[in-house]
Amino acid sequence: MEKSDAQRRMQEAIRLTAPGQPIRTALDMIIAGHLGALICVGDTEHVLGAGNDGFPLNISFTANRLFELSKMDGAIVIDEDLTQILRANFHLNPDPSLVTSETGMRHRTAARMSVLTDAIVISVSSRRAVVNVYVNGKSYELQPVSALMGSVNQLIATLQTTRSSLDRSLLRLTALELDDYVTLADITGIFSSFEIMQQAKIGLEDAIEKLGTHGKLVRMQLEQLAGAIMDDEYNLMIRDYAADSSEQNAARVRKQFRSMSAQDLTSPARVAAVLGYDNLEEDSVLTPLGLRTLSRVSVVRENVAEKIVDEYGSLQDLMNDIRTDPERLGDFGVNNPAILADSLYRMRGGKQGADD
């Protein structure tokens, strides 16, 4: 999903104030010193045009200098690249008619300056030891690493539990697919688990941004539990069961699943409707294309699974055909058709020809 300019600027503000960044070091020092501060970063022309007085400095930016200058009243103005401190003790006069829900004078000024200019505006409350970052009139409160890690640990636990359950469900699903006995209820539960993982993943990605240099290990855990492999698995499963198996439709289905409530995601009828079906019962049997299962077999190279399902139409038709003519798979780019046939039968829990 493409981000708006406001979203990109907020993301940049989060990155700028994350642990490990010089300005975050200064903010931690300001909080520890029981000081307050009002800091404007970027869009300096409009920031300077919205105030007066103060001390022109034009000195190199360092965390220690920012900390020392916060001991004075007024705002501190820093350039966009965070290389120079331009003003200190600067008196800001944003338009008082700009609407804000903030109550404290420093926070009201920060919110209005973020509406009036494209600056990232940071307000530090000495009384409450709270740091708020403002972009386009919207704000977020900086959290200490300990608080962020508490949320991260909960999300990691959710991912681990859901991934373990999902792996078992997908193994069972493969066996059911090869036996041609998958019901709507079976796939509904799995789609619900995929969405739980997606929501936890979004929460972790947000936390990783805010953790800065502390987020590297969390990023590795996230990739291991819910990385590209699981993302591909989700897409292939949607394509296997949706009425329209195109990649574009899979993206549409995922967007709709993402917007559904947890209760709706456990409703077979609602899941079926998103997949493009009407009047299905939860025990209705569905026949998959087989993209997900074929992708699990090492001899099936990328894009070969597409050719196979285009030819056979479903996993069950493929299974029926390879009983009598496994070598035909070579026509679609499978280098070792016999290995593919044997792999599919082993997934089902038997050997080729066992039930012939």
Side-chain angles (χ1 to χ4, degrees):
M1 184 185 299
E2 191 173 342
K3 294 181 178 178
S4 67
D5 181 61
Q7 289 173 320
R8 287 193 294 270
R9 290 179 56 229
M10 179 59 82
Q11 190 170 31
E12 172 60 19
I14 290 171
R15 186 200 64 77
L16 185 75
T17 55
Q21 296 296 322
I23 203 163
R24 178 59 176 263
T25 301
L27 292 172
D28 289 341
M29 293 166 68
I30 292 168
I31 287 291
H34 306 288
L35 301 172
L38 183 58
I39 304 163
C40 297
V41 181
D43 197 12
T44 52
E45 180 182 351
H46 291 104
V47 169
L48 294 174
N52 53 58
D53 298 330
F55 302 118
L57 297 175
N58 300 318
I59 57 174
S60 298
F61 169 86
T62 68
N64 283 328
R65 282 175 174 167
L66 181 55
F67 167 65
E68 292 296 335
L69 291 170
S70 69
K71 295 175 182 178
M72 294 190 288
D73 292 331
I76 301 167
V77 182
I78 306 173
D79 69 347
E80 183 178 7
D81 297 328
L82 217 68
T83 57
Q84 282 197 313
I85 301 174
L86 305 176
R87 294 283 195 281
N89 197 28
F90 190 66
H91 183 63
L92 294 170
N93 298 296
D95 186 348
S97 67
L98 293 172
V99 178
T100 173
S101 60
E102 298 291 354
T103 54
M105 182 173 291
R106 185 179 282 124
H107 289 314
R108 281 203 307 272
T109 300
R112 286 171 176 154
M113 285 299 297
S114 74
V115 173
L116 188 65
T117 71
D118 286 336
I120 295 169
V121 189
I122 304 166
S123 175
V124 185
S125 169
S126 58
R127 182 172 59 85
R128 295 187 296 126
V130 169
V131 180
N132 283 84
V133 181
Y134 295 84
V135 174
N136 277 52
K138 300 184 182 299
S139 72
Y140 78 93
E141 183 180 320
L142 290 192
Q143 295 177 277
V145 172
S146 58
L148 285 170
M149 287 306 300
S151 299
V152 163
N153 290 335
Q154 290 181 358
L155 290 168
I156 289 288
T158 298
L159 269 182
Q160 288 173 330
T161 302
T162 307
R163 173 66 188 269
S164 179
S165 173
L166 185 55
D167 284 344
R168 291 193 299 270
S169 296
L170 288 172
L171 281 173
R172 176 176 176 272
L173 179 66
T174 299
L176 291 172
E177 287 178 341
L178 293 167
D179 282 335
D180 196 25
Y181 198 71
V182 179
T183 67
L184 177 58
D186 292 323
I187 65 170
T188 296
I190 292 175
F191 283 134
S192 177
S193 293
F194 268 121
E195 273 306 309
I196 291 172
M197 290 194 67
Q198 289 301 307
Q199 293 305 313
K201 180 179 178 179
I202 290 170
L204 275 174
E205 287 174 339
D206 179 64
I208 288 168
E209 289 289 332
K210 293 177 180 177
L211 280 169
T213 55
H214 294 268
K216 185 176 180 180
L217 178 59
V218 181
R219 173 71 70 186
M220 293 170 65
Q221 289 177 290
L222 175 59
E223 183 59 33
Q224 185 179 49
L225 290 168
I229 292 176
M230 291 305 293
D231 218 40
D232 291 342
E233 192 104 338
Y234 191 10
N235 286 332
L236 291 175
M237 186 171 164
I238 291 173
R239 294 181 64 195
D240 270 345
Y241 289 98
D244 174 355
S245 63
S246 68
E247 292 180 357
Q248 293 82 0
N249 185 60
R252 180 196 64 80
V253 169
R254 285 187 62 162
K255 185 176 181 180
Q256 284 195 251
F257 280 161
R258 187 165 59 244
S259 67
M260 289 166 65
S261 67
Q263 183 177 2
D264 285 345
L265 279 167
T266 59
S267 165
R270 292 188 180 276
V271 168
V274 174
L275 292 174
Y277 302 105
D278 295 322
N279 303 320
L280 287 183
E281 304 292 336
E282 63 180 85
D283 58 354
S284 297
V285 176
L286 301 176
T287 300
L289 290 179
L291 288 169
R292 186 189 63 86
T293 294
L294 287 170
S295 71
R296 290 186 162 200
V297 183
S298 59
V299 296
V300 178
R301 302 190 310 275
E302 190 175 358
N303 297 325
V304 171
E306 300 264 1
K307 295 179 182 178
I308 293 173
V309 299
D310 283 347
E311 175 65 22
Y312 288 96
S314 73
L315 183 62
Q316 193 56 39
D317 287 342
L318 168 63
M319 293 297 293
N320 290 337
D321 192 71
I322 61 176
R323 287 189 177 93
T324 57
D325 188 16
E327 293 304 317
R328 186 182 170 207
L329 289 166
D331 297 340
F332 312 112
V334 178
N335 291 333
N336 295 284
I339 293 177
L340 172 56
D342 188 59
S343 297
L344 291 173
Y345 277 94
R346 287 181 183 279
M347 286 180 185
R348 196 174 69 172
K351 293 183 178 179
Q352 186 173 354
D355 54 356
D356 289 348

